[in-house]
Amino acid sequence: MKKVLLAEDDTDFASVLKQYLELYQYEITWAENGEEALRIFQIESFDICVFDVMMPKMDGFTLAEKIIKINPEV
């Protein structure tokens, strides 16, 4: 089962996307903002990351840059 880190501040959209991906056997970890997603990424391993671009505390582009510095394979 592939592990996905989902960073999305829209609770309704995140819930729908999480349920949809779980139908296809993905294990989803959801974060409400970029800072939370980065903290989670630092303690867990993921196969795929899906980030919203416009989020509070840290936008998706900045988050992606930080994630790539930690693990460029993701």
Side-chain angles (χ1 to χ4, degrees):
M1 182 178 290
K2 298 280 186 186
K3 288 183 66 176
V4 177
L5 176 58
L6 171 62
E8 171 60 60
D9 63 321
D10 182 326
T11 306
D12 293 331
F13 182 64
S15 178
V16 169
L17 185 54
K18 182 177 183 294
Q19 290 175 11
Y20 182 79
L21 292 170
E22 287 172 340
L23 286 173
Y24 290 92
Q25 307 305 311
Y26 289 96
E27 181 183 336
I28 310 301
T29 300
W30 171 55
E32 294 186 61
N33 60 63
E35 285 182 357
E36 181 183 357
L38 184 59
R39 281 193 303 274
I40 293 169
F41 188 85
Q42 291 171 330
I43 59 174
E44 295 184 42
S45 62
F46 294 93
D47 300 297
I48 302 168
C49 295
V50 178
F51 303 146
D52 182 7
V53 175
M54 301 286 291
M55 290 185 291
K57 300 185 181 181
M58 184 185 308
D59 66 79
F61 292 119
T62 303
L63 176 58
E65 289 172 1
K66 291 178 183 275
I67 294 289
I68 289 168
K69 286 180 183 175
I70 295 168
N71 183 352
E73 298 297 316
V74 175

